[in-house]
């Protein structure tokens, strides 16, 4: 089938027939996954094929109780993975540099490209797919469930199987609002209205604004995901301002927690002090590490005074 025809008709599939994917087809799909581009040959991703039904059920529940996660013939969870790279460097007696933000950027990109190559190949073979962003609804619970090591983080899920539904492809924004030439141009009122008109069929009500409001406006889904996402990133070592395993969303969140329990916080090179009326608690290390240690001492979570 012509690739452009596939792209023009593609849509997400959320209902699947109870038909397994033959091993020879699965082998071709996994080949496509591994042939995706990657920066500097590092391949900073892993793909977790979830075969265990109980595990699939747990992931479906954490992802918004999505039935197609349970129903699809195959479910993959794509992971940003710098853990393997760290192990490879250590195997040749090299130490990983500190580059957590850049690492997350390239690892998410690698995982996304691998997922896209698998998805497009599956559609070219006549299968249906659906990306599952809901795997980030409860990222900390997912880390616990899968026992992911530091340096590994869930990016997106992907269901795959024989479609049991049909329908037209979903609309997309007008091309001139997406493809810029030579410079990023600003959007006028008519451009923005054209976007809403083009995307109106996406919503059953004909109001795309309701979709955007539910996900992206204040009080929406993305706002609810932000703090758990940040805590999970810090826990896995992707926040340069906090030590791996930190339960806080950001250094600012740690500061707010510390100031809620003290009258002041003092930073000096290599240390931080959390001060109360008649006592003070000291932590050592970089600012985030030192303040976290001081706060844990103040809370009695670790021994030691100051």
């Amino acid at each position: 089938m012509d690739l452009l025809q596939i792209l023009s008709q593609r849509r997400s599939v959320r209902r699947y027939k109870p038909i397994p994917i033959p091993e020879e087809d699965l082998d071709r799909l996994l080949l496509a996954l591994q042939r995706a581009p990657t920066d500097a040959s590092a391949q900073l991703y892993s793909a977790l094929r979830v075969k265990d039904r109980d595990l699939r059920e747990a992931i479906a529940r954490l992802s918004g109780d999505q039935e197609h996660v349970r129903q699809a013939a195959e479910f993959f969870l794509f992971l940003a993975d710098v853990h393997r790279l760290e192990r490879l460097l250590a195997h040749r007696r090299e130490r990983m540099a500190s580059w957590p933000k850049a690492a997350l950027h390239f690892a998410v990109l690698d995982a996304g490209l691998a997922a896209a190559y698998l998805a497009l190949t599956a559609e070219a073979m006549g299968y249906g797919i659906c990306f599952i962003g809901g795997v980030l609804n409860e990222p900390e619970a997912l880390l616990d469930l899968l026992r992911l090591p530091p340096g590994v983080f869930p990016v997106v899920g992907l269901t795959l199987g024989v479609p049991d539904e049909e329908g037209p492809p979903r609309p997309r924004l007008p091309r001139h609002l997406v493809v810029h030439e030579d410079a990023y141009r600003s959007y006028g009122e008519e451009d923005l209205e054209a976007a809403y008109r083009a995307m109106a069929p996406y919503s059953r009500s004909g109001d795309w604004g309701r979709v955007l409001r539910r996900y992206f406006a204040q009080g929406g889904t993305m706002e609810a995901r932000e703090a758990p996402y940040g805590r999970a990133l810090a826990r896995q070592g992707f926040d340069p301002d906090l030590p791996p395993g930190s339960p806080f969303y950001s250094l600012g969140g740690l500061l707010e927690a510390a100031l809620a329990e003290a009258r002041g916080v003092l930073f000096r090179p290599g240390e931080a002090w959390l001060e109360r009326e008649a006592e003070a608690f000291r932590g050592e290390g970089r600012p985030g590490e030192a303040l976290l240690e001081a706060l844990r001492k103040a809370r009695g979570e670790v021994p030691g005074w100051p």
Side-chain angles (χ1 to χ4, degrees), residues 261-266 268 272-283 293-295 297-299 304-306:
E261 300 191 24
R263 67 176 185 178
V265 171
L266 172 65
R268 290 176 177 159
W273 288 82
L274 189 152
E275 300 177 347
R276 290 176 174 165
E277 290 295 333
E279 56 187 354
F281 301 89
R282 177 176 178 268
E293 181 185 1
L295 179 59
K297 286 181 178 180
R299 290 175 169 178
W305 190 94

Side-chain angles (χ1 to χ4, degrees), residues 224-239:
R225 286 176 175 171
E226 181 69 10
Y229 182 79
R231 288 195 300 268
L233 285 179
R235 173 174 161 179
Q236 295 302 93
F238 286 107
D239 189 325

Side-chain angles (χ1 to χ4, degrees), residues 118-142:
L118 173 59
L120 183 56
T121 303
E123 290 175 315
M125 293 169 63
Y127 294 111
I129 63 95
C130 185
F131 284 96
I132 307 298
V135 296
L136 292 179
N137 284 0
E138 299 185 56
E140 294 169 286
L142 194 58

